[in-house]
Amino acid sequence: MGDTILLFESRDLCYESNQYFMECMAEAFEKQGFPVQICDLSAGMEEKLEGILEKREQFLAAIDFNSLLPRLEIEDGIPYITALGVPFFNYLVDHPLYHHTGIKRSFPGYSVICIDICHKRYIEEYYPHIERVFYLPLGAMKADMERSSGQKRLELLFLGTYESEQTLYLEIADYPKQHRQELLALIEMMDADPELTQEAALARYLLDQGKEVSREVFAQKMNEDYLADKYLRNLKRREAVLAAAAAGVPFTIMGHGWEQFGDIWGKHVTVRTGIGFAAAVQMMANARMLLNVTPGFHGGLHDRVYSAMINQAVCFTEDGRFTREQLADGVDAVLYDSKDMGALTEKIRNLYEHPGRLERIAKSAYQKADRRDTWMKRVEMLTAGFFSPNLAGDRII
């Protein structure tokens, strides 16, 4: 076994975010003294994978985000990860239900990293064959150019796509009756209780229906019910963005799909199409406030939160038990109740009208993120995971 860290890019994530994550990780690993090789599989995949196998003795470990590699086999039917023969870390950046195909198989040295403690527990419960499961949030991403509060040109920023609930509902309506009823029941339960995970909602639904299913069937059903998560994510984004717009604060919305609302926003709202991830980080650094909407996270924080903090943009994010353990409301971020959008409107307006308080929160958030949430800190923890097979629990890696 060698000492080189192999970073795969087996797929493109939304706005090429994984490419940016890889660059941040590579820089951090190199600062720790590890050689790094990035293998981009967007073109010439077969040839590149064969080339990696020919020099596999050079590698200490391999990492990929939402990896496609667990699905691949070489010509004689041996799984590619098995043939690679080094510890492989599949870093999942959303709920494992979306990655059922990639985690239902077992390989020697195969580990999964989750960015949410609830996701970690879900894999431990329903995919017990996975050797190791870690909780490690994505790191804060700092813009190349720092801006003081007086230099920032955007008051309030939202970054994220939107797909109308009506479109998603039509997809659900095409499902067989029993499956459609299940999806709508999950949506109703999770909408009523923001702390309810989809796995808990499905377990409750099956109990109410008097159904008992195996662990494998439950995991398959979660995968098939992905539209419940997708529907709620877009519903909550629409509600929060409309509430933010109602504050009357200059507001920039960046992401595909929002143009369908036409001219309802008012002159203080600017809607722009989506941009690449690296450019989005620069936009974050140019904003005084950032709105975050991530209803599917119950035991973790989205990387937008950490990146807003380190770029001194005050982040408005959903309140919750885990969030309060990580962030002090009004000190590190501003927490809002997703069931009370009127209060979100008032919080945004109030902070906009008190720039001194806004600047104090921004500075406090920056200090916390710089101290504990950089990619350098994440990679230090990840490196410990390479060499400490007995690490467990819900602490970071």
Side-chain angles (χ1 to χ4, degrees):
M1 183 179 293
D3 62 352
T4 298
I5 306 299
L6 177 59
L7 303 179
F8 281 110
E9 294 180 15
S10 65
R11 63 163 73 189
D12 288 331
L13 302 188
C14 187
Y15 298 119
E16 300 87 36
S17 58
N18 57 320
Q19 296 177 19
Y20 200 76
F21 300 154
M22 288 290 185
E23 292 172 6
C24 293
M25 292 181 76
E27 182 181 359
F29 275 122
E30 287 170 347
K31 286 182 178 178
Q32 290 193 24
F34 292 96
V36 175
Q37 179 175 338
I38 296 178
C39 183
D40 179 1
L41 300 176
S42 59
M45 175 183 283
E46 184 175 348
E47 181 180 347
K48 289 178 180 178
L49 289 176
E50 289 177 358
I52 291 294
L53 289 182
E54 291 174 359
K55 55 182 181 180
R56 55 193 159 194
E57 69 281 352
Q58 299 179 12
F59 303 115
L60 172 66
I63 305 168
D64 192 9
F65 288 90
N66 292 1
S67 184
L68 294 175
L69 296 182
R71 311 179 187 195
L72 302 185
E73 296 180 347
I74 56 179
E75 290 182 358
D76 53 5
I78 297 175
Y80 184 82
I81 290 177
T82 301
L84 184 60
V86 300
F88 185 89
F89 294 78
N90 190 358
Y91 211 142
L92 303 184
V93 302
D94 40 24
H95 197 293
L97 70 88
Y98 290 100
H99 306 286
H100 177 64
T101 302
I103 58 178
K104 68 181 182 181
R105 301 181 66 184
S106 177
F107 312 98
Y110 183 35
S111 299
V112 173
I113 302 173
C114 299
I115 62 174
D116 184 299
I117 289 173
C118 296
H119 298 173
K120 174 181 182 291
R121 293 172 182 168
Y122 174 74
I123 292 180
E124 290 171 336
E125 174 69 23
Y126 294 101
Y127 300 88
H129 54 273
I130 300 294
E131 287 188 10
R132 296 192 295 170
V133 188
F134 297 122
Y135 161 65
L136 184 69
L138 295 167
M141 283 150 287
K142 195 172 186 179
D144 294 333
M145 182 179 294
E146 295 184 39
R147 298 177 187 269
S148 66
S149 179
Q151 294 173 320
K152 292 173 181 277
R153 297 182 179 181
L154 304 177
E155 295 297 337
L156 177 63
L157 175 66
F158 175 80
L159 297 163
T161 59
Y162 174 74
E163 188 172 355
S164 76
E165 301 97 280
Q166 291 80 7
T167 300
L168 295 171
Y169 186 85
L170 289 175
E171 288 187 45
I172 295 172
D174 285 338
Y175 280 47
K177 180 180 179 181
Q178 188 173 355
H179 194 182
R180 182 171 68 248
Q181 290 175 337
E182 180 173 304
L183 279 167
L184 294 176
L186 298 184
I187 291 170
E188 182 179 3
M189 284 189 282
M190 291 189 288
D191 188 28
D193 182 0
E195 292 281 359
L196 189 66
T197 65
Q198 184 159 325
E199 52 268 31
L202 179 58
R204 182 185 299 176
Y205 176 79
L206 293 174
L207 181 63
D208 291 344
Q209 297 295 309
K211 296 179 181 179
E212 292 186 14
V213 299
S214 67
R215 179 187 295 148
E216 294 75 18
V217 170
F218 188 94
Q220 180 66 43
K221 289 179 75 65
M222 282 283 290
N223 175 252
E224 293 169 352
D225 288 345
Y226 75 94
L227 276 175
D229 176 77
K230 190 174 182 181
Y231 182 95
L232 274 175
R233 181 168 65 251
N234 285 278
L235 169 66
K236 296 303 180 183
R237 282 184 176 180
R238 176 178 59 80
E239 291 177 345
V241 167
L242 287 172
V249 172
F251 185 21
T252 302
I253 303 169
M254 302 201 70
H256 298 296
W258 297 103
E259 68 281 353
Q260 64 191 276
F261 286 90
D263 299 326
I264 72 166
W265 303 105
K267 293 183 179 180
H268 66 289
V269 178
T270 301
V271 178
R272 299 180 182 176
T273 189
I275 55 176
F277 196 84
V281 173
Q282 304 305 315
M283 292 289 293
M284 221 179 284
N286 202 22
R288 292 185 176 85
M289 298 179 285
L290 180 128
L291 174 64
N292 179 63
V293 188
T294 43
F297 286 70
H298 301 88
L301 296 175
H302 195 277
D303 58 274
R304 275 190 299 269
V305 177
Y306 299 118
S307 294
M309 293 169 67
I310 206 161
N311 288 293
Q312 299 192 52
V314 174
C315 185
F316 289 79
T317 192
E318 298 99 326
D319 200 352
R321 289 189 295 270
F322 179 86
T323 306
R324 284 189 173 271
E325 291 174 1
Q326 301 297 312
L327 304 173
D329 187 19
V331 177
D332 305 316
V334 178
L335 309 185
Y336 66 86
D337 182 353
S338 62
K339 302 299 291 182
D340 187 356
M341 289 292 103
L344 172 60
T345 302
E346 289 304 314
K347 288 187 176 197
I348 292 172
R349 182 183 295 128
N350 183 269
L351 197 60
Y352 175 68
E353 293 172 351
H354 294 85
R357 186 156 64 90
L358 188 153
E359 191 165 347
R360 286 194 297 273
I361 297 173
K363 288 182 178 179
S364 174
Y366 167 78
Q367 291 168 357
K368 174 170 280 191
D370 188 56
R371 184 175 65 251
R372 69 171 198 179
D373 296 314
T374 64
W375 268 112
M376 179 60 72
K377 295 294 185 183
R378 300 292 192 251
V379 165
E380 288 173 0
M381 296 166 188
L382 185 54
T383 304
F386 294 160
F387 303 107
S388 304
N390 296 320
L391 287 171
D394 287 335
R395 300 186 65 81
I396 292 180
I397 219 158

